[in-house]
Amino acid sequence: MTVPSSVVPPGTAGLEAGVGSAPSAPPRRRPAWHAATVAAVSPETPTARRIVLDVPTWPGNDPGQHLDLRLTAEDGYQATRSYSIASAGDSTMVTLAVDRVDDGEVSPFLVDAVEVGDALDVHGPLGGWFVWRPDTTAPTRPVQLIAGGSGIVPLAAMVSAHTEAEDPTPFRLLYAVRTPDDVFFRSTLDAARAGTAPFTDAIVYSRRAPDPTLPVGRLTRDALAAAVFPPDAGALVYVCGSTPFVEQVLRWLGERGHDTTDVRAERFGGNG
């Protein structure tokens, strides 16, 4: 998922610590350029691919951070794009999930052509605002995650960290996708549902649902209100998706009484 900017709310730059930060930050991992080798590739959805990178000098990253990925052609031409990281922690294996943008310069290569053993360059970890860290020693604010399409990628890292740490923070996810085939990180969500950490999710299908009796259609204001924590819960809210999706969600949250100055949002280009 490409992440060109972080905004809280629209028009406000946001790669910084903010109100209601989840547990105090560990020592900052300084971003740097690293040599990476493609260790594994697998289909994620019909239009997306999961890519695992072996980065021996990677310092680790927090759930929600991103990196810059640089491709270099044989003639020396270089192209760099930003992608959310779907993994977290101290491992030097870094997981991405890239959705194809048909007229894009980088994503078609990553989805259709990159192979195990290929060499890439990555710069990171990047971002300090759009992160969540588990803390099993102290009560924290509830967390509301709202994703559109491949916007689930950085949120999946948070869900996985929450599950693995058995963190007591109440987590909710609202996920808007086109069809069941378009769900990213299905096993991560299954593990969260089966785990001991408090987690609930609602998936809204805009074109086809897994059960023909379920309603189908785009996310609505009422559906959002029914699925997310109420404003008085004081939840820390993370929103990620295409720019139109994020802007609409922020408007609805504001109309429902949520403090949108305390919402952490990331946008990306494409349809979301």
CSV table of all heavy atoms in Angstrom, one decimal, residues 154-194:
chain,number,residue,atom,x,y,z
A,154,PRO,N,-1.2,-1.4,7.4
A,154,PRO,CA,-0.5,-1.0,8.7
A,154,PRO,C,-1.4,-1.3,9.9
A,154,PRO,O,-0.8,-1.6,11.0
A,154,PRO,CB,-0.4,0.5,8.5
A,154,PRO,CG,-1.5,0.9,7.6
A,154,PRO,CD,-1.6,-0.2,6.6
A,155,LEU,N,-2.7,-1.4,9.7
A,155,LEU,CA,-3.6,-1.8,10.8
A,155,LEU,C,-3.4,-3.3,11.1
A,155,LEU,O,-3.6,-3.7,12.3
A,155,LEU,CB,-5.0,-1.4,10.4
A,155,LEU,CG,-5.3,0.0,10.0
A,155,LEU,CD1,-6.8,0.3,9.8
A,155,LEU,CD2,-4.7,1.0,11.0
A,156,ALA,N,-3.1,-4.1,10.1
A,156,ALA,CA,-2.9,-5.5,10.3
A,156,ALA,C,-1.7,-5.7,11.3
A,156,ALA,O,-1.7,-6.6,12.1
A,156,ALA,CB,-2.7,-6.2,9.0
A,157,ALA,N,-0.7,-4.9,11.1
A,157,ALA,CA,0.5,-5.0,12.0
A,157,ALA,C,0.1,-4.7,13.4
A,157,ALA,O,0.5,-5.3,14.4
A,157,ALA,CB,1.5,-4.0,11.5
A,158,MET,N,-0.8,-3.7,13.6
A,158,MET,CA,-1.3,-3.4,15.0
A,158,MET,C,-2.1,-4.5,15.5
A,158,MET,O,-2.0,-4.9,16.7
A,158,MET,CB,-2.2,-2.1,14.9
A,158,MET,CG,-1.4,-0.9,14.4
A,158,MET,SD,-2.5,0.6,14.4
A,158,MET,CE,-1.5,1.7,13.5
A,159,VAL,N,-3.0,-5.1,14.7
A,159,VAL,CA,-3.9,-6.2,15.2
A,159,VAL,C,-3.0,-7.4,15.6
A,159,VAL,O,-3.2,-8.0,16.6
A,159,VAL,CB,-4.9,-6.6,14.1
A,159,VAL,CG1,-5.6,-7.9,14.4
A,159,VAL,CG2,-5.9,-5.5,13.8
A,160,SER,N,-2.0,-7.7,14.8
A,160,SER,CA,-1.1,-8.8,15.0
A,160,SER,C,-0.3,-8.6,16.3
A,160,SER,O,-0.2,-9.5,17.2
A,160,SER,CB,-0.2,-9.0,13.9
A,160,SER,OG,0.7,-10.2,14.1
A,161,ALA,N,0.2,-7.4,16.5
A,161,ALA,CA,0.9,-7.1,17.8
A,161,ALA,C,0.0,-7.2,19.0
A,161,ALA,O,0.4,-7.7,20.0
A,161,ALA,CB,1.5,-5.7,17.6
A,162,HIS,N,-1.2,-6.7,18.8
A,162,HIS,CA,-2.2,-6.7,19.9
A,162,HIS,C,-2.5,-8.2,20.3
A,162,HIS,O,-2.5,-8.6,21.5
A,162,HIS,CB,-3.5,-6.0,19.4
A,162,HIS,CG,-4.6,-6.0,20.4
A,162,HIS,ND1,-5.8,-6.8,20.2
A,162,HIS,CD2,-4.8,-5.4,21.6
A,162,HIS,CE1,-6.6,-6.6,21.2
A,162,HIS,NE2,-6.1,-5.7,22.0
A,163,THR,N,-2.7,-9.0,19.3
A,163,THR,CA,-3.0,-10.4,19.5
A,163,THR,C,-1.8,-11.2,20.2
A,163,THR,O,-2.0,-11.9,21.2
A,163,THR,CB,-3.4,-11.1,18.2
A,163,THR,OG1,-4.5,-10.5,17.6
A,163,THR,CG2,-3.7,-12.6,18.4
A,164,GLU,N,-0.6,-11.0,19.6
A,164,GLU,CA,0.5,-11.7,20.1
A,164,GLU,C,0.9,-11.3,21.5
A,164,GLU,O,1.4,-12.2,22.3
A,164,GLU,CB,1.7,-11.5,19.1
A,164,GLU,CG,1.5,-12.1,17.8
A,164,GLU,CD,2.6,-11.8,16.8
A,164,GLU,OE1,3.6,-11.1,17.2
A,164,GLU,OE2,2.5,-12.2,15.6
A,165,ALA,N,0.7,-10.1,21.9
A,165,ALA,CA,1.0,-9.6,23.2
A,165,ALA,C,-0.1,-9.9,24.2
A,165,ALA,O,0.1,-9.7,25.4
A,165,ALA,CB,1.3,-8.1,23.2
A,166,GLU,N,-1.2,-10.4,23.7
A,166,GLU,CA,-2.4,-10.6,24.6
A,166,GLU,C,-2.7,-9.3,25.4
A,166,GLU,O,-3.0,-9.3,26.5
A,166,GLU,CB,-2.2,-11.8,25.5
A,166,GLU,CG,-2.0,-13.1,24.8
A,166,GLU,CD,-1.8,-14.3,25.8
A,166,GLU,OE1,-1.4,-14.1,26.9
A,166,GLU,OE2,-2.2,-15.4,25.4
A,167,ASP,N,-2.6,-8.2,24.6
A,167,ASP,CA,-2.8,-6.9,25.2
A,167,ASP,C,-4.3,-6.7,25.6
A,167,ASP,O,-5.2,-7.0,24.8
A,167,ASP,CB,-2.4,-5.8,24.2
A,167,ASP,CG,-2.4,-4.4,24.7
A,167,ASP,OD1,-3.5,-3.8,24.9
A,167,ASP,OD2,-1.3,-3.9,25.0
A,168,PRO,N,-4.6,-6.1,26.8
A,168,PRO,CA,-5.9,-6.0,27.2
A,168,PRO,C,-6.7,-4.8,26.6
A,168,PRO,O,-7.9,-4.7,26.9
A,168,PRO,CB,-5.8,-5.8,28.8
A,168,PRO,CG,-4.5,-5.1,28.9
A,168,PRO,CD,-3.6,-5.7,27.8
A,169,THR,N,-6.1,-4.0,25.8
A,169,THR,CA,-6.8,-2.9,25.2
A,169,THR,C,-7.9,-3.4,24.3
A,169,THR,O,-7.7,-4.2,23.4
A,169,THR,CB,-5.8,-2.1,24.3
A,169,THR,OG1,-4.7,-1.7,25.1
A,169,THR,CG2,-6.5,-0.9,23.7
A,170,PRO,N,-9.1,-2.9,24.4
A,170,PRO,CA,-10.2,-3.2,23.5
A,170,PRO,C,-9.9,-2.7,22.1
A,170,PRO,O,-9.6,-1.5,21.9
A,170,PRO,CB,-11.4,-2.5,24.1
A,170,PRO,CG,-11.1,-2.3,25.6
A,170,PRO,CD,-9.6,-2.0,25.6
A,171,PHE,N,-10.0,-3.6,21.2
A,171,PHE,CA,-9.7,-3.3,19.8
A,171,PHE,C,-11.0,-3.5,19.0
A,171,PHE,O,-11.7,-4.6,19.1
A,171,PHE,CB,-8.6,-4.2,19.2
A,171,PHE,CG,-7.3,-3.6,19.0
A,171,PHE,CD1,-6.7,-2.9,20.0
A,171,PHE,CD2,-6.6,-3.7,17.8
A,171,PHE,CE1,-5.4,-2.3,19.9
A,171,PHE,CE2,-5.3,-3.1,17.6
A,171,PHE,CZ,-4.8,-2.4,18.7
A,172,ARG,N,-11.3,-2.6,18.0
A,172,ARG,CA,-12.4,-2.8,17.1
A,172,ARG,C,-11.8,-2.5,15.7
A,172,ARG,O,-11.1,-1.5,15.5
A,172,ARG,CB,-13.6,-2.0,17.3
A,172,ARG,CG,-14.4,-2.4,18.5
A,172,ARG,CD,-15.7,-1.6,18.6
A,172,ARG,NE,-16.4,-1.9,19.8
A,172,ARG,CZ,-17.6,-1.4,20.2
A,172,ARG,NH1,-18.2,-0.5,19.3
A,172,ARG,NH2,-18.2,-1.7,21.3
A,173,LEU,N,-12.2,-3.2,14.7
A,173,LEU,CA,-11.9,-3.0,13.3
A,173,LEU,C,-13.1,-2.9,12.4
A,173,LEU,O,-14.0,-3.7,12.5
A,173,LEU,CB,-11.0,-4.1,12.8
A,173,LEU,CG,-10.7,-4.1,11.2
A,173,LEU,CD1,-9.9,-2.9,10.8
A,173,LEU,CD2,-10.1,-5.4,10.8
A,174,LEU,N,-13.2,-1.8,11.7
A,174,LEU,CA,-14.2,-1.7,10.6
A,174,LEU,C,-13.5,-1.7,9.3
A,174,LEU,O,-12.6,-0.8,9.0
A,174,LEU,CB,-15.0,-0.4,10.8
A,174,LEU,CG,-16.0,0.0,9.7
A,174,LEU,CD1,-17.0,-1.1,9.5
A,174,LEU,CD2,-16.6,1.3,10.0
A,175,TYR,N,-13.8,-2.6,8.4
A,175,TYR,CA,-13.0,-2.9,7.2
A,175,TYR,C,-14.0,-2.9,6.0
A,175,TYR,O,-14.9,-3.7,5.9
A,175,TYR,CB,-12.3,-4.2,7.3
A,175,TYR,CG,-11.3,-4.5,6.2
A,175,TYR,CD1,-10.8,-3.6,5.4
A,175,TYR,CD2,-10.9,-5.9,6.1
A,175,TYR,CE1,-9.9,-3.9,4.4
A,175,TYR,CE2,-9.9,-6.2,5.2
A,175,TYR,CZ,-9.4,-5.2,4.3
A,175,TYR,OH,-8.5,-5.6,3.3
A,176,ALA,N,-13.7,-2.0,5.1
A,176,ALA,CA,-14.6,-1.9,3.9
A,176,ALA,C,-13.8,-2.4,2.7
A,176,ALA,O,-12.7,-2.0,2.4
A,176,ALA,CB,-15.0,-0.4,3.6
A,177,VAL,N,-14.4,-3.4,2.0
A,177,VAL,CA,-13.8,-4.1,0.8
A,177,VAL,C,-14.8,-4.3,-0.2
A,177,VAL,O,-16.0,-4.2,0.0
A,177,VAL,CB,-13.1,-5.4,1.2
A,177,VAL,CG1,-11.9,-5.2,2.1
A,177,VAL,CG2,-14.0,-6.4,1.8
A,178,ARG,N,-14.4,-4.7,-1.4
A,178,ARG,CA,-15.3,-4.9,-2.5
A,178,ARG,C,-16.0,-6.3,-2.4
A,178,ARG,O,-17.2,-6.4,-2.4
A,178,ARG,CB,-14.6,-4.8,-3.9
A,178,ARG,CG,-14.1,-3.4,-4.2
A,178,ARG,CD,-13.6,-3.4,-5.6
A,178,ARG,NE,-13.1,-2.1,-6.0
A,178,ARG,CZ,-11.8,-1.7,-5.9
A,178,ARG,NH1,-10.9,-2.5,-5.4
A,178,ARG,NH2,-11.5,-0.5,-6.2
A,179,THR,N,-15.2,-7.3,-2.2
A,179,THR,CA,-15.7,-8.7,-2.2
A,179,THR,C,-14.8,-9.5,-1.1
A,179,THR,O,-13.8,-9.0,-0.7
A,179,THR,CB,-15.5,-9.4,-3.5
A,179,THR,OG1,-14.1,-9.7,-3.7
A,179,THR,CG2,-16.0,-8.5,-4.7
A,180,PRO,N,-15.3,-10.7,-0.8
A,180,PRO,CA,-14.5,-11.5,0.2
A,180,PRO,C,-13.1,-11.8,-0.4
A,180,PRO,O,-12.1,-12.0,0.4
A,180,PRO,CB,-15.3,-12.8,0.3
A,180,PRO,CG,-16.7,-12.4,0.0
A,180,PRO,CD,-16.6,-11.3,-1.0
A,181,ASP,N,-12.9,-11.9,-1.7
A,181,ASP,CA,-11.6,-12.1,-2.3
A,181,ASP,C,-10.6,-11.0,-2.1
A,181,ASP,O,-9.4,-11.2,-2.2
A,181,ASP,CB,-11.8,-12.4,-3.8
A,181,ASP,CG,-12.6,-13.6,-4.1
A,181,ASP,OD1,-12.6,-14.5,-3.2
A,181,ASP,OD2,-13.1,-13.7,-5.2
A,182,ASP,N,-11.2,-9.8,-1.8
A,182,ASP,CA,-10.3,-8.6,-1.6
A,182,ASP,C,-9.9,-8.4,-0.2
A,182,ASP,O,-9.3,-7.3,0.1
A,182,ASP,CB,-11.1,-7.4,-2.1
A,182,ASP,CG,-11.4,-7.5,-3.6
A,182,ASP,OD1,-10.4,-7.7,-4.4
A,182,ASP,OD2,-12.6,-7.4,-4.0
A,183,VAL,N,-10.2,-9.3,0.7
A,183,VAL,CA,-9.8,-9.1,2.1
A,183,VAL,C,-8.3,-9.4,2.3
A,183,VAL,O,-7.8,-10.5,1.9
A,183,VAL,CB,-10.6,-10.0,3.1
A,183,VAL,CG1,-10.1,-10.0,4.5
A,183,VAL,CG2,-12.1,-9.6,3.0
A,184,PHE,N,-7.5,-8.5,2.8
A,184,PHE,CA,-6.1,-8.7,3.1
A,184,PHE,C,-6.0,-9.3,4.5
A,184,PHE,O,-6.8,-9.1,5.4
A,184,PHE,CB,-5.4,-7.4,3.1
A,184,PHE,CG,-5.0,-6.8,1.8
A,184,PHE,CD1,-6.1,-6.3,0.9
A,184,PHE,CD2,-3.7,-6.6,1.3
A,184,PHE,CE1,-5.8,-5.8,-0.3
A,184,PHE,CE2,-3.4,-6.0,0.1
A,184,PHE,CZ,-4.4,-5.6,-0.7
A,185,PHE,N,-4.9,-10.1,4.6
A,185,PHE,CA,-4.5,-10.6,5.9
A,185,PHE,C,-5.6,-11.4,6.7
A,185,PHE,O,-5.9,-11.1,7.9
A,185,PHE,CB,-3.9,-9.5,6.8
A,185,PHE,CG,-2.6,-9.0,6.2
A,185,PHE,CD1,-2.6,-7.8,5.5
A,185,PHE,CD2,-1.4,-9.7,6.3
A,185,PHE,CE1,-1.4,-7.3,4.9
A,185,PHE,CE2,-0.3,-9.2,5.8
A,185,PHE,CZ,-0.3,-8.1,5.1
A,186,ARG,N,-6.3,-12.2,6.0
A,186,ARG,CA,-7.4,-13.0,6.5
A,186,ARG,C,-7.0,-13.8,7.7
A,186,ARG,O,-7.7,-13.9,8.7
A,186,ARG,CB,-8.0,-13.9,5.5
A,186,ARG,CG,-9.3,-14.6,5.9
A,186,ARG,CD,-9.8,-15.5,4.8
A,186,ARG,NE,-10.1,-14.7,3.6
A,186,ARG,CZ,-11.2,-14.0,3.4
A,186,ARG,NH1,-12.2,-14.1,4.3
A,186,ARG,NH2,-11.5,-13.4,2.3
A,187,SER,N,-5.8,-14.4,7.6
A,187,SER,CA,-5.3,-15.3,8.8
A,187,SER,C,-5.0,-14.4,10.0
A,187,SER,O,-5.2,-14.9,11.1
A,187,SER,CB,-4.1,-16.1,8.3
A,187,SER,OG,-3.0,-15.2,8.0
A,188,THR,N,-4.6,-13.2,9.8
A,188,THR,CA,-4.3,-12.3,10.9
A,188,THR,C,-5.6,-12.0,11.6
A,188,THR,O,-5.7,-12.0,12.9
A,188,THR,CB,-3.6,-11.0,10.4
A,188,THR,OG1,-2.4,-11.3,9.9
A,188,THR,CG2,-3.4,-10.0,11.6
A,189,LEU,N,-6.7,-11.7,10.9
A,189,LEU,CA,-8.0,-11.4,11.5
A,189,LEU,C,-8.5,-12.6,12.2
A,189,LEU,O,-9.1,-12.5,13.2
A,189,LEU,CB,-8.9,-10.9,10.4
A,189,LEU,CG,-8.5,-9.6,9.7
A,189,LEU,CD1,-9.5,-9.1,8.7
A,189,LEU,CD2,-8.1,-8.5,10.6
A,190,ASP,N,-8.4,-13.8,11.5
A,190,ASP,CA,-8.9,-15.0,12.2
A,190,ASP,C,-8.2,-15.3,13.5
A,190,ASP,O,-8.8,-15.7,14.5
A,190,ASP,CB,-8.6,-16.2,11.2
A,190,ASP,CG,-9.5,-16.2,10.0
A,190,ASP,OD1,-10.5,-15.5,10.0
A,190,ASP,OD2,-9.2,-16.9,9.0
A,191,ALA,N,-6.9,-15.1,13.5
A,191,ALA,CA,-6.1,-15.3,14.8
A,191,ALA,C,-6.5,-14.3,15.9
A,191,ALA,O,-6.6,-14.6,17.0
A,191,ALA,CB,-4.6,-15.1,14.5
A,192,ALA,N,-6.9,-13.0,15.4
A,192,ALA,CA,-7.3,-12.0,16.4
A,192,ALA,C,-8.6,-12.4,17.0
A,192,ALA,O,-8.9,-12.3,18.2
A,192,ALA,CB,-7.4,-10.7,15.8
A,193,ARG,N,-9.5,-12.9,16.2
A,193,ARG,CA,-10.9,-13.3,16.7
A,193,ARG,C,-10.7,-14.5,17.6
A,193,ARG,O,-11.5,-14.6,18.6
A,193,ARG,CB,-11.8,-13.7,15.5
A,193,ARG,CG,-12.1,-12.6,14.5
A,193,ARG,CD,-13.1,-13.1,13.5
A,193,ARG,NE,-13.1,-12.1,12.3
A,193,ARG,CZ,-12.6,-12.4,11.1
A,193,ARG,NH1,-12.0,-13.5,10.9
A,193,ARG,NH2,-12.7,-11.5,10.2
A,194,ALA,N,-9.8,-15.4,17.4
A,194,ALA,CA,-9.6,-16.6,18.2
A,194,ALA,C,-8.7,-16.3,19.5
A,194,ALA,O,-8.7,-17.2,20.4
A,194,ALA,CB,-9.0,-17.7,17.4
